[in-house]
């Protein structure tokens, strides 16, 4: 089973929540700046008009930006959700990105804590992620990269939970003497965490085509 999880669960969650709030404040402050005279900047010009079209046209893109419908719809639907709340402005097309970028801090802290069995190292991982310039920028732009990053990270978190759960189930099988109940090993029941991993990877693909590469990588990780 390896080392058990640290026993400071309350402190672990307090550290996680405090750092996540700090990261959220950093990402949300002055979120509407900069714009190009009130319009999107850089590749936001592809995705934010398409998200706005979805709001007007029943979640369907009928007028592709720059004559090109880029990537599947889920990430643009997230952008559209922010535009539905705040309107067609910087806050609107960046709000969902900032929220998911903030939640990534929470996930990284918990994942690192589980990997290292250390609340301190989990906190350090969170601080490093808050300080990462690329993630900070992608959390404050109406683009798709933050969505695929979030769902791939969630998939890894689910896979890590699945590993620990299966180890526990195997330990029970050994202790109770039914580890060799069949030629294929003990029946371990339905693996909901692995199912969650698959769903997360599917959502990554639904956000951006690059999720297909991650599906292949996770397939190798699961079978190795």
């Amino acid at each position: 089973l390896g080392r058990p999880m640290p026993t400071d669960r309350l402190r672990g969650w307090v550290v996680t929540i405090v750092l996540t709030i700090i990261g959220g404040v950093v990402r949300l402050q002055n979120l509407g700046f900069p714009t190009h005279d009130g319009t999107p900047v850089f590749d936001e010009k592809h995705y934010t008009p398409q998200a706005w079209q979805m709001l007007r046209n029943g979640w369907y893109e009928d007028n592709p930006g720059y004559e090109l419908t880029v990537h599947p719809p889920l990430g643009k639907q997230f952008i559209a959700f922010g535009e539905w709340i705040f309107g067609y402005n910087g806050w609107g097309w960046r709000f969902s990105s900032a929220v998911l970028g903030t939640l990534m801090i929470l996930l990284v802290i918990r994942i690192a804590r589980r990997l290292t069995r250390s609340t301190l190292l989990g906190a350090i991982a969170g601080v490093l992620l808050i300080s990462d310039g690329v993630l900070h920028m992608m959390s404050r732009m109406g683009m798709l990269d933050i969505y695929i990053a979030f769902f791939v990270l969630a998939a890894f978190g689910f896979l890590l939970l699945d590993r620990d759960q299966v180890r526990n189930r195997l330990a029970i099988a050994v202790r109770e003497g039914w580890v060799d109940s069949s030629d294929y090993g003990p029946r371990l029941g339905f693996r909901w965490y692995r199912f969650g991993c698959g769903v997360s990877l599917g959502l990554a693909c639904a956000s951006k085509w690059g999720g297909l590469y991650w599906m292949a990588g996770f397939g190798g990780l699961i079978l190795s």
Side-chain angles (χ1 to χ4, degrees):
L1 288 176
R3 287 194 300 164
M5 288 292 294
T7 57
D8 58 343
R9 293 185 62 185
L10 178 59
R11 182 173 66 174
W13 276 110
V14 169
V15 168
T16 300
I17 292 170
V18 169
L19 288 177
T20 301
I21 291 173
I22 293 172
V25 170
V26 170
R27 278 152 178 74
L28 289 169
Q29 62 88 26
N30 205 18
L31 185 63
F33 178 83
T35 63
H36 183 206
D37 295 328
T39 67
V41 298
F42 192 53
D43 271 8
E44 287 183 332
K45 293 181 182 293
H46 281 287
Y47 309 116
T48 58
Q50 293 175 349
W52 190 246
Q53 292 161 15
M54 288 180 168
L55 281 181
R56 296 181 313 188
N57 303 325
W59 300 97
Y60 175 73
E61 303 169 63
D62 65 349
N63 183 25
Y66 298 100
E67 300 182 354
L68 178 67
T69 300
V70 283
H71 298 294
L74 182 62
K76 287 168 278 187
Q77 290 170 345
F78 273 108
I79 296 172
F81 178 73
E83 292 175 342
W84 176 65
I85 298 175
F86 296 102
Y88 192 68
N89 54 51
W91 265 90
W93 61 66
R94 295 169 183 160
F95 177 73
S96 296
S97 297
V99 171
L100 265 66
T102 300
L103 291 177
M104 285 182 69
I105 298 168
L106 184 148
L107 289 178
V108 162
I109 295 171
R110 304 307 296 181
I111 288 171
R113 182 176 182 269
R114 182 168 289 271
L115 277 172
T116 63
R117 301 309 203 239
S118 168
T119 298
L120 174 62
L121 293 178
I124 291 173
V127 171
L128 291 175
L129 193 66
I130 292 172
S131 306
D132 182 78
V134 174
L135 182 70
H136 177 76
M137 180 188 71
M138 298 314 302
S139 300
R140 292 173 55 85
M141 295 197 74
M143 294 172 59
L144 305 182
D145 304 77
I146 194 68
Y147 303 109
I148 185 174
F150 174 81
F151 288 120
V152 168
L153 180 62
F156 181 74
F158 278 122
L159 197 60
L160 185 61
L161 289 169
D162 176 73
R163 182 197 68 171
D164 286 354
Q165 183 184 66
V166 169
R167 284 178 174 178
N168 287 329
R169 290 179 179 179
L170 285 172
I172 293 172
V174 171
R175 184 170 64 248
E176 296 182 356
W178 47 274
V179 69
D180 54 353
S181 57
S182 75
D183 294 336
Y184 303 101
R187 297 182 182 275
L188 299 174
F190 191 82
R191 297 169 68 168
W192 285 104
Y193 288 131
R194 181 167 290 194
F195 178 78
C197 174
V199 170
S200 297
L201 290 173
L203 293 173
C205 289
S207 301
K208 196 171 183 179
W209 290 123
L212 293 170
Y213 297 108
W214 287 102
M215 289 186 72
F218 271 76
L221 183 63
I222 289 171
L223 295 174
S224 63

